[in-house]
Amino acid sequence: MTIKLKILVLSLFQKLFLKIFTNYFNIYLSSTNSLEFNNHVRINGNSCLEPINIIQYKIEWANKYNEPLLIALQDMSKAYDRINILLLCLAMHSIDIPLSLISIITNCFINCFNSVIINNSFSHLYPLSCGIDQGEMISPLLFLIYYNPLFKRINSIESLTHQIHVSILHNIYDTTLRDYSSSLPLVGYLDDITWTALNVPALESLLSIADDFYFFAEMKVNYLKFKILTNIKDI
């Protein structure tokens, strides 16, 4: 009983600490604009509204001007469980997060143990070799950071972009419309990515770059949920 009580108290204090820390960490990410524009879900002032609007306007643009458009819907398998802590440190370092903060964050996810329920009882504890806790408040922000190098790389390749001009809401707290020129071939919502391209070769190039990143980052696509939508009849 004493051991269980100690575990409960430690877990309670850790969750309270991460809750407070996550609020300040979110403010830091939003004020510094450290992450790519199309990888901002769960950052203060952003929601699923922005990526949905961008995709919707691309569809309307293709219909209005009779332009070809391919949309690929991609979902990651067990995304949080596959995060490599060492690579997460490098990703945080790439957006200039102080080393002291990196150490505090990663210490919450190393030397951790887990168990599963078998026949109405808990199994023996086993060490977690990688991954972050999906139930922690800070985990979605860490996943955005882990994913960010892919977004940065794709956004830098001009040959794979296509320019459209749309008007979208500024954010969920400001409903005024702003003119927005989109050349982004992907938008993200945590472990879901929507890719857009004007032709098959461009989409194949985008997904090839993504596959290289997934292999390096030890991530895996859930191909059972992978879908491609298009208005191209002869494909």
Side-chain angles (χ1 to χ4, degrees):
M1 184 67 180
T2 304
I3 296 176
K4 291 183 179 180
L5 180 60
K6 287 182 179 179
I7 293 175
L8 177 62
V9 172
L10 287 174
S11 177
L12 178 63
F13 278 114
Q14 177 172 310
K15 288 184 179 297
L16 179 61
F17 166 76
L18 286 178
K19 167 62 176 175
I20 298 173
F21 185 86
T22 300
N23 291 338
Y24 286 100
F25 191 47
N26 202 326
I27 294 173
Y28 170 82
L29 292 175
S30 61
S31 61
T32 57
N33 290 319
S34 302
L35 302 179
E36 296 295 303
F37 171 79
N38 44 344
N39 186 36
H40 260 215
V41 174
R42 296 299 294 266
I43 302 298
N44 284 344
N46 293 269
S47 67
C48 61
L49 177 64
E50 292 79 22
I52 289 175
N53 275 345
I54 292 174
I55 297 169
Q56 178 63 35
Y57 285 126
K58 286 190 175 186
I59 294 173
E60 293 178 1
W61 168 83
N63 290 336
K64 180 178 180 180
Y65 296 102
N66 196 27
E67 293 286 348
L69 181 66
L70 292 103
I71 301 176
L73 308 177
Q74 195 173 64
D75 175 76
M76 305 310 299
S77 175
K78 299 181 180 179
Y80 290 17
D81 295 334
R82 296 182 183 276
I83 287 181
N84 183 299
I85 300 299
L86 178 59
L87 294 179
L88 176 62
C89 291
L90 295 176
M92 288 191 285
H93 182 69
S94 70
I95 58 174
D96 298 324
I97 294 179
L99 293 177
S100 57
L101 294 185
I102 294 177
S103 178
I104 292 174
I105 294 170
T106 55
N107 282 337
C108 295
F109 299 101
I110 60 175
N111 298 323
C112 294
F113 292 81
N114 197 9
S115 65
V116 295
I117 298 177
I118 302 176
N119 296 329
N120 298 322
S121 62
F122 288 99
S123 67
H124 294 292
L125 293 176
Y126 61 89
L128 297 179
S129 57
C130 64
I132 58 177
D133 188 353
Q134 188 167 354
E136 293 291 357
M137 293 288 296
I138 199 172
S139 293
L141 298 183
L142 297 182
F143 186 78
L144 294 183
I145 296 172
Y146 193 71
Y147 232 163
N148 199 61
L150 173 62
F151 285 78
K152 188 173 183 178
R153 172 57 179 160
I154 295 295
N155 292 345
S156 68
I157 306 176
E158 295 183 1
S159 61
L160 296 178
T161 62
H162 51 277
Q163 193 78 19
I164 65 170
H165 301 279
V166 298
S167 296
I168 63 175
L169 300 179
H170 185 66
N171 58 49
I172 60 175
Y173 303 123
D174 184 354
T175 57
T176 57
L177 294 176
R178 63 170 178 173
D179 294 330
Y180 172 65
S181 296
S182 174
S183 59
L184 305 176
L186 77 163
V187 290
Y189 184 82
L190 293 179
D191 60 340
D192 294 305
I193 283 187
T194 300
W195 302 86
T196 57
L198 301 184
N199 52 65
V200 174
L203 181 60
E204 289 177 340
S205 297
L206 290 169
L207 295 180
S208 177
I209 295 172
D211 284 341
D212 289 341
F213 174 82
Y214 298 148
F215 177 79
F216 176 77
E218 303 177 1
M219 304 181 73
K220 185 179 180 180
V221 176
N222 185 353
Y223 287 104
L224 293 177
K225 295 183 179 180
F226 183 80
K227 304 291 182 182
I228 295 181
L229 312 175
T230 184
N231 59 357
I232 304 175
K233 296 181 180 179
D234 301 324
I235 189 171

Coordinates of all heavy atoms in Angstrom, one line a residue, residues 165-232:
H165 N -4.4 32.0 -53.8 CA -4.7 33.2 -53.0 C -6.0 33.0 -52.4 O -7.0 32.8 -53.1 CB -4.6 34.4 -53.8 CG -3.3 34.7 -54.5 ND1 -2.2 35.2 -53.8 CD2 -2.8 34.4 -55.7 CE1 -1.2 35.3 -54.6 NE2 -1.5 34.8 -55.8
V166 N -6.1 33.0 -51.0 CA -7.4 32.8 -50.3 C -7.5 33.8 -49.2 O -6.6 34.5 -48.9 CB -7.4 31.3 -49.7 CG1 -7.4 30.3 -50.8 CG2 -6.3 31.1 -48.7
S167 N -8.7 33.8 -48.7 CA -9.0 34.7 -47.5 C -9.4 33.7 -46.3 O -10.4 32.9 -46.5 CB -10.1 35.7 -47.7 OG -9.7 36.6 -48.7
I168 N -8.7 33.7 -45.2 CA -9.0 32.8 -44.1 C -9.2 33.6 -42.8 O -8.7 34.8 -42.7 CB -8.0 31.7 -44.0 CG1 -6.6 32.4 -43.6 CG2 -7.8 30.9 -45.2 CD1 -5.5 31.4 -43.3
L169 N -9.8 33.0 -41.8 CA -9.9 33.6 -40.5 C -8.5 33.8 -39.9 O -7.7 32.9 -40.1 CB -10.8 32.8 -39.6 CG -12.2 32.6 -40.0 CD1 -13.0 31.7 -39.0 CD2 -13.0 33.9 -40.2
H170 N -8.3 34.9 -39.2 CA -7.0 35.1 -38.6 C -6.6 34.0 -37.6 O -5.6 33.4 -37.7 CB -7.0 36.5 -37.9 CG -5.6 36.8 -37.4 ND1 -4.5 37.1 -38.2 CD2 -5.2 37.0 -36.1 CE1 -3.5 37.4 -37.5 NE2 -3.8 37.3 -36.2
N171 N -7.5 33.7 -36.6 CA -7.4 32.6 -35.8 C -8.8 32.5 -35.0 O -9.7 33.2 -35.3 CB -6.3 32.7 -34.8 CG -6.4 34.0 -33.9 OD1 -7.4 34.3 -33.3 ND2 -5.3 34.7 -33.8
I172 N -8.9 31.5 -34.1 CA -10.2 31.3 -33.5 C -10.6 32.4 -32.6 O -11.8 32.4 -32.2 CB -10.1 29.9 -32.7 CG1 -9.0 30.0 -31.6 CG2 -9.9 28.8 -33.6 CD1 -9.0 28.7 -30.7
Y173 N -9.7 33.3 -32.2 CA -10.1 34.4 -31.3 C -10.3 35.7 -32.1 O -10.8 36.7 -31.6 CB -8.9 34.7 -30.3 CG -8.6 33.5 -29.4 CD1 -7.3 33.0 -29.4 CD2 -9.6 32.9 -28.7 CE1 -7.0 31.9 -28.6 CE2 -9.3 31.8 -27.9 CZ -8.0 31.3 -27.9 OH -7.7 30.2 -27.1
D174 N -10.0 35.7 -33.4 CA -10.2 36.8 -34.3 C -10.8 36.4 -35.6 O -10.1 35.7 -36.4 CB -8.8 37.5 -34.5 CG -8.9 38.8 -35.3 OD1 -10.0 39.1 -35.8 OD2 -7.9 39.5 -35.5
T175 N -12.1 36.7 -35.8 CA -12.8 36.2 -36.9 C -12.7 37.1 -38.2 O -13.4 36.8 -39.2 CB -14.3 36.0 -36.6 OG1 -14.8 37.3 -36.1 CG2 -14.5 35.0 -35.5
T176 N -11.9 38.1 -38.1 CA -11.7 38.9 -39.3 C -10.9 38.1 -40.3 O -10.0 37.3 -40.0 CB -10.9 40.2 -39.0 OG1 -9.6 39.9 -38.4 CG2 -11.7 41.1 -38.0
L177 N -11.2 38.3 -41.6 CA -10.6 37.6 -42.7 C -9.3 38.3 -43.1 O -9.1 39.5 -43.0 CB -11.5 37.6 -43.9 CG -12.8 36.7 -43.8 CD1 -13.6 36.9 -45.1 CD2 -12.5 35.3 -43.5
R178 N -8.3 37.5 -43.5 CA -7.0 38.0 -43.9 C -6.7 37.3 -45.3 O -7.0 36.2 -45.5 CB -5.9 37.8 -42.9 CG -5.6 36.3 -42.7 CD -4.3 36.2 -41.8 NE -4.1 34.8 -41.6 CZ -3.0 34.3 -41.0 NH1 -2.1 35.2 -40.6 NH2 -2.8 33.0 -40.8
D179 N -6.1 38.1 -46.1 CA -5.7 37.5 -47.4 C -4.4 36.6 -47.2 O -3.5 37.0 -46.5 CB -5.3 38.6 -48.4 CG -6.6 39.4 -48.8 OD1 -7.6 38.8 -48.8 OD2 -6.4 40.6 -49.1
Y180 N -4.5 35.5 -47.8 CA -3.4 34.5 -47.5 C -3.0 33.9 -48.8 O -3.8 33.4 -49.6 CB -3.8 33.5 -46.5 CG -2.9 32.3 -46.3 CD1 -1.6 32.6 -45.8 CD2 -3.2 31.1 -46.7 CE1 -0.7 31.5 -45.6 CE2 -2.4 30.0 -46.5 CZ -1.1 30.2 -46.0 OH -0.2 29.2 -45.8
S181 N -1.7 33.9 -49.1 CA -1.2 33.3 -50.3 C -0.6 31.9 -49.9 O 0.4 31.9 -49.1 CB -0.1 34.1 -51.0 OG -0.7 35.3 -51.5
S182 N -1.1 30.9 -50.3 CA -0.7 29.5 -49.9 C 0.1 28.9 -51.0 O -0.3 28.7 -52.1 CB -1.9 28.7 -49.6 OG -1.5 27.4 -49.3
S183 N 1.3 28.5 -50.6 CA 2.1 27.7 -51.5 C 2.5 26.4 -50.8 O 3.5 25.7 -51.1 CB 3.4 28.5 -51.9 OG 4.2 28.8 -50.8
L184 N 1.8 26.1 -49.7 CA 2.2 25.0 -48.8 C 1.5 23.7 -49.3 O 0.3 23.6 -49.5 CB 1.7 25.3 -47.4 CG 2.2 26.6 -46.8 CD1 1.6 26.8 -45.4 CD2 3.7 26.6 -46.7
P185 N 2.3 22.7 -49.6 CA 1.8 21.4 -50.1 C 1.3 20.5 -49.0 O 0.9 19.4 -49.3 CB 3.0 20.8 -50.9 CG 4.2 21.3 -50.2 CD 3.8 22.7 -49.6
L186 N 1.4 20.9 -47.8 CA 0.9 20.0 -46.7 C 0.4 20.9 -45.5 O 0.9 22.0 -45.3 CB 2.0 19.1 -46.2 CG 3.1 19.6 -45.3 CD1 3.8 18.5 -44.6 CD2 4.1 20.5 -46.1
V187 N -0.5 20.4 -44.8 CA -1.0 20.9 -43.5 C -1.1 19.8 -42.5 O -1.5 18.7 -42.9 CB -2.3 21.7 -43.7 CG1 -2.2 23.0 -44.4 CG2 -3.4 20.8 -44.3
G188 N -0.8 20.1 -41.3 CA -0.8 19.0 -40.3 C -1.8 19.3 -39.2 O -2.1 20.4 -38.8
Y189 N -2.3 18.2 -38.7 CA -3.1 18.2 -37.4 C -2.6 17.1 -36.6 O -3.1 15.9 -36.6 CB -4.6 18.0 -37.7 CG -5.5 18.1 -36.5 CD1 -5.8 19.4 -36.0 CD2 -5.9 17.0 -35.8 CE1 -6.6 19.5 -34.8 CE2 -6.6 17.1 -34.6 CZ -7.0 18.4 -34.2 OH -7.7 18.5 -33.0
L190 N -1.6 17.4 -35.8 CA -0.9 16.4 -34.9 C -0.4 15.2 -35.8 O 0.4 15.4 -36.7 CB -1.8 15.9 -33.8 CG -2.1 17.0 -32.8 CD1 -3.0 16.5 -31.7 CD2 -0.8 17.6 -32.1
D191 N -0.9 14.0 -35.6 CA -0.4 12.9 -36.4 C -1.1 12.6 -37.7 O -0.9 11.6 -38.3 CB -0.5 11.6 -35.5 CG -1.9 11.3 -35.1 OD1 -2.7 12.2 -35.1 OD2 -2.1 10.1 -34.7
D192 N -2.0 13.6 -38.1 CA -2.6 13.5 -39.4 C -2.1 14.6 -40.3 O -2.1 15.8 -39.9 CB -4.2 13.7 -39.3 CG -4.8 12.6 -38.5 OD1 -4.6 11.4 -38.9 OD2 -5.5 12.9 -37.5
I193 N -1.7 14.2 -41.5 CA -1.2 15.2 -42.5 C -2.0 15.1 -43.8 O -2.4 14.0 -44.2 CB 0.3 14.9 -42.8 CG1 1.2 15.3 -41.7 CG2 0.8 15.6 -44.1 CD1 2.7 15.3 -42.0
T194 N -2.3 16.2 -44.3 CA -3.0 16.3 -45.6 C -2.0 16.9 -46.7 O -1.5 18.0 -46.5 CB -4.2 17.2 -45.5 OG1 -5.1 16.6 -44.6 CG2 -4.9 17.3 -46.9
W195 N -1.7 16.1 -47.7 CA -0.8 16.6 -48.8 C -1.6 17.0 -50.0 O -2.7 16.4 -50.3 CB 0.1 15.4 -49.2 CG 0.9 14.8 -48.1 CD1 0.6 13.8 -47.2 CD2 2.3 15.2 -47.8 NE1 1.6 13.6 -46.4 CE2 2.7 14.4 -46.7 CE3 3.2 16.1 -48.3 CZ2 3.9 14.5 -46.1 CZ3 4.4 16.2 -47.7 CH2 4.8 15.4 -46.7
T196 N -1.2 18.1 -50.7 CA -1.9 18.5 -51.9 C -0.8 18.7 -53.0 O 0.3 19.2 -52.7 CB -2.6 19.8 -51.7 OG1 -1.7 20.8 -51.2 CG2 -3.8 19.6 -50.7
A197 N -1.2 18.3 -54.2 CA -0.3 18.5 -55.3 C -1.2 18.6 -56.6 O -2.4 18.3 -56.6 CB 0.6 17.3 -55.5
L198 N -0.6 19.2 -57.7 CA -1.3 19.4 -58.9 C -1.2 18.3 -59.9 O -1.9 18.2 -60.9 CB -0.8 20.7 -59.6 CG -0.9 22.0 -58.7 CD1 -0.5 23.2 -59.5 CD2 -2.3 22.2 -58.2
N199 N -0.2 17.3 -59.6 CA -0.1 16.2 -60.5 C 0.5 15.0 -59.7 O 1.0 15.2 -58.6 CB 0.8 16.6 -61.7 CG 2.1 17.2 -61.3 OD1 3.0 16.6 -60.7 ND2 2.3 18.5 -61.6
V200 N 0.5 13.9 -60.3 CA 1.0 12.7 -59.7 C 2.5 12.7 -59.4 O 2.9 12.3 -58.2 CB 0.6 11.4 -60.5 CG1 1.2 10.2 -59.9 CG2 -0.9 11.3 -60.6
P201 N 3.3 13.1 -60.3 CA 4.8 13.1 -60.0 C 5.1 14.0 -58.8 O 6.0 13.7 -58.0 CB 5.4 13.7 -61.3 CG 4.5 13.3 -62.4 CD 3.1 13.4 -61.8
A202 N 4.4 15.2 -58.7 CA 4.7 16.1 -57.5 C 4.3 15.4 -56.2 O 5.0 15.5 -55.2 CB 3.9 17.4 -57.7
L203 N 3.1 14.7 -56.2 CA 2.7 14.0 -55.0 C 3.6 12.9 -54.7 O 4.0 12.7 -53.5 CB 1.3 13.5 -55.2 CG 0.7 12.8 -54.0 CD1 0.6 13.7 -52.8 CD2 -0.7 12.2 -54.4
E204 N 4.1 12.2 -55.7 CA 5.1 11.1 -55.4 C 6.4 11.6 -54.8 O 6.9 11.0 -53.9 CB 5.4 10.3 -56.7 CG 4.2 9.5 -57.2 CD 4.5 8.8 -58.5 OE1 5.4 9.3 -59.2 OE2 3.8 7.8 -58.9
S205 N 6.8 12.8 -55.3 CA 8.1 13.4 -54.8 C 7.9 13.8 -53.3 O 8.7 13.6 -52.5 CB 8.5 14.6 -55.6 OG 8.8 14.2 -56.9
L206 N 6.7 14.4 -53.0 CA 6.4 14.8 -51.6 C 6.4 13.6 -50.7 O 7.0 13.6 -49.6 CB 5.1 15.5 -51.6 CG 5.0 16.9 -52.2 CD1 3.6 17.4 -52.3 CD2 5.8 17.9 -51.4
L207 N 5.7 12.5 -51.1 CA 5.6 11.3 -50.2 C 6.9 10.6 -50.1 O 7.2 10.0 -49.1 CB 4.5 10.4 -50.8 CG 3.1 11.0 -50.8 CD1 2.1 10.0 -51.4 CD2 2.6 11.4 -49.4
S208 N 7.7 10.7 -51.1 CA 9.1 10.1 -51.1 C 9.9 10.7 -50.0 O 10.6 10.1 -49.2 CB 9.8 10.1 -52.4 OG 11.1 9.6 -52.4
I209 N 9.9 12.1 -50.0 CA 10.6 12.8 -49.0 C 10.1 12.5 -47.6 O 10.9 12.3 -46.6 CB 10.5 14.4 -49.3 CG1 11.2 14.7 -50.6 CG2 11.2 15.2 -48.1 CD1 11.0 16.1 -51.0
A210 N 8.8 12.4 -47.5 CA 8.2 12.1 -46.2 C 8.6 10.7 -45.7 O 8.9 10.5 -44.6 CB 6.7 12.2 -46.3
D211 N 8.7 9.7 -46.7 CA 9.1 8.4 -46.3 C 10.5 8.3 -45.8 O 10.8 7.6 -44.8 CB 8.9 7.4 -47.5 CG 7.5 7.1 -47.8 OD1 6.6 7.2 -46.9 OD2 7.2 6.6 -48.9
D212 N 11.4 9.1 -46.4 CA 12.8 9.2 -45.9 C 12.8 9.7 -44.5 O 13.6 9.2 -43.6 CB 13.6 10.1 -46.8 CG 13.9 9.5 -48.2 OD1 13.7 8.2 -48.3 OD2 14.2 10.2 -49.1
F213 N 12.0 10.7 -44.2 CA 11.9 11.3 -42.8 C 11.4 10.3 -41.9 O 11.9 10.1 -40.8 CB 11.1 12.6 -42.8 CG 10.9 13.1 -41.5 CD1 11.8 13.9 -40.9 CD2 9.7 12.9 -40.7 CE1 11.6 14.4 -39.6 CE2 9.5 13.4 -39.5 CZ 10.5 14.2 -38.9
Y214 N 10.3 9.6 -42.3 CA 9.7 8.6 -41.4 C 10.7 7.5 -41.0 O 10.7 7.0 -39.9 CB 8.4 8.0 -42.0 CG 7.3 9.0 -42.3 CD1 6.5 8.9 -43.3 CD2 7.2 10.1 -41.4 CE1 5.5 9.8 -43.6 CE2 6.2 11.1 -41.7 CZ 5.3 10.9 -42.8 OH 4.3 11.8 -43.0
F215 N 11.5 7.1 -42.0 CA 12.4 6.0 -41.8 C 13.5 6.5 -40.8 O 13.9 5.8 -39.8 CB 13.1 5.6 -43.1 CG 14.2 4.6 -42.9 CD1 13.9 3.2 -42.8 CD2 15.5 4.9 -42.9 CE1 14.9 2.3 -42.6 CE2 16.5 4.0 -42.8 CZ 16.2 2.7 -42.6
F216 N 14.0 7.7 -41.0 CA 15.0 8.3 -40.1 C 14.4 8.5 -38.7 O 15.1 8.2 -37.7 CB 15.5 9.6 -40.6 CG 16.5 10.3 -39.7 CD1 17.8 9.9 -39.6 CD2 16.1 11.4 -39.0 CE1 18.7 10.5 -38.8 CE2 17.0 12.1 -38.2 CZ 18.3 11.6 -38.1
A217 N 13.2 9.0 -38.6 CA 12.6 9.3 -37.3 C 11.9 8.1 -36.6 O 11.3 8.3 -35.6 CB 11.6 10.5 -37.5
E218 N 12.0 7.0 -37.3 CA 11.4 5.7 -36.7 C 9.9 5.8 -36.6 O 9.3 5.3 -35.6 CB 12.1 5.4 -35.4 CG 13.6 5.2 -35.5 CD 14.2 4.9 -34.1 OE1 13.5 4.8 -33.1 OE2 15.5 4.8 -34.1
M219 N 9.3 6.5 -37.6 CA 7.8 6.6 -37.6 C 7.2 5.7 -38.6 O 7.9 5.2 -39.5 CB 7.4 8.0 -37.8 CG 8.0 9.0 -36.8 SD 7.5 10.7 -37.1 CE 5.8 10.7 -36.5
K220 N 5.9 5.4 -38.5 CA 5.3 4.5 -39.4 C 3.9 5.0 -39.8 O 3.1 5.4 -39.0 CB 5.2 3.1 -38.8 CG 4.6 2.0 -39.7 CD 4.5 0.7 -38.9 CE 4.0 -0.4 -39.8 NZ 3.9 -1.7 -39.1
V221 N 3.6 4.9 -41.2 CA 2.4 5.3 -41.7 C 1.3 4.2 -41.5 O 1.6 3.1 -41.7 CB 2.5 5.7 -43.2 CG1 1.1 6.1 -43.8 CG2 3.5 6.9 -43.4
N222 N 0.1 4.6 -41.1 CA -1.0 3.7 -41.1 C -1.7 3.6 -42.5 O -2.5 4.4 -42.8 CB -2.0 4.1 -40.0 CG -3.1 3.1 -39.8 OD1 -3.2 2.1 -40.6 ND2 -4.0 3.3 -38.8
Y223 N -1.2 2.7 -43.3 CA -1.7 2.7 -44.7 C -3.2 2.2 -44.8 O -3.8 2.4 -45.9 CB -0.8 1.7 -45.5 CG 0.6 2.4 -45.8 CD1 1.7 1.9 -45.1 CD2 0.7 3.4 -46.7 CE1 2.9 2.5 -45.4 CE2 1.9 4.0 -47.0 CZ 3.0 3.5 -46.3 OH 4.2 4.1 -46.5
L224 N -3.7 1.6 -43.8 CA -5.1 1.3 -43.8 C -6.0 2.5 -43.8 O -7.2 2.5 -44.3 CB -5.5 0.4 -42.6 CG -4.9 -1.0 -42.5 CD1 -5.2 -1.7 -41.2 CD2 -5.3 -1.8 -43.7
K225 N -5.5 3.6 -43.3 CA -6.2 4.9 -43.3 C -5.8 5.9 -44.4 O -6.3 7.0 -44.5 CB -6.1 5.6 -42.0 CG -6.7 4.8 -40.8 CD -6.7 5.6 -39.5 CE -7.3 4.8 -38.4 NZ -7.2 5.6 -37.1
F226 N -4.8 5.4 -45.2 CA -4.3 6.3 -46.3 C -5.3 6.4 -47.4 O -5.7 5.4 -48.0 CB -2.9 5.8 -46.8 CG -2.3 6.7 -47.8 CD1 -1.6 7.8 -47.4 CD2 -2.4 6.4 -49.2 CE1 -1.0 8.6 -48.4 CE2 -1.8 7.2 -50.1 CZ -1.1 8.3 -49.7
K227 N -5.6 7.7 -47.8 CA -6.6 7.9 -48.9 C -6.1 9.0 -49.8 O -5.4 9.9 -49.4 CB -8.0 8.4 -48.3 CG -8.6 7.4 -47.3 CD -9.0 6.1 -47.9 CE -9.7 5.2 -46.9 NZ -10.1 3.9 -47.5
I228 N -6.4 8.9 -51.1 CA -6.1 9.9 -52.1 C -7.4 10.3 -52.8 O -8.2 9.5 -53.3 CB -5.1 9.4 -53.1 CG1 -3.8 9.1 -52.5 CG2 -5.0 10.4 -54.3 CD1 -2.7 8.6 -53.5
L229 N -7.7 11.6 -52.7 CA -8.8 12.2 -53.4 C -8.4 13.1 -54.5 O -7.3 13.8 -54.4 CB -9.6 13.1 -52.4 CG -10.0 12.5 -51.0 CD1 -10.6 13.5 -50.1 CD2 -10.8 11.2 -51.2
T230 N -9.1 13.1 -55.6 CA -8.7 13.9 -56.8 C -9.9 14.2 -57.7 O -10.9 13.5 -57.7 CB -7.6 13.1 -57.6 OG1 -7.1 14.0 -58.7 CG2 -8.1 11.8 -58.2
N231 N -9.7 15.3 -58.5 CA -10.7 15.6 -59.5 C -10.2 15.2 -60.9 O -10.8 15.6 -61.9 CB -11.0 17.1 -59.4 CG -9.8 18.0 -59.6 OD1 -8.7 17.5 -59.8 ND2 -10.0 19.3 -59.7
I232 N -9.0 14.6 -60.9 CA -8.4 14.1 -62.2 C -9.1 12.8 -62.6 O -9.0 11.8 -61.9 CB -6.9 13.9 -62.1 CG1 -6.2 15.2 -61.6 CG2 -6.3 13.5 -63.4 CD1 -4.8 15.1 -61.4

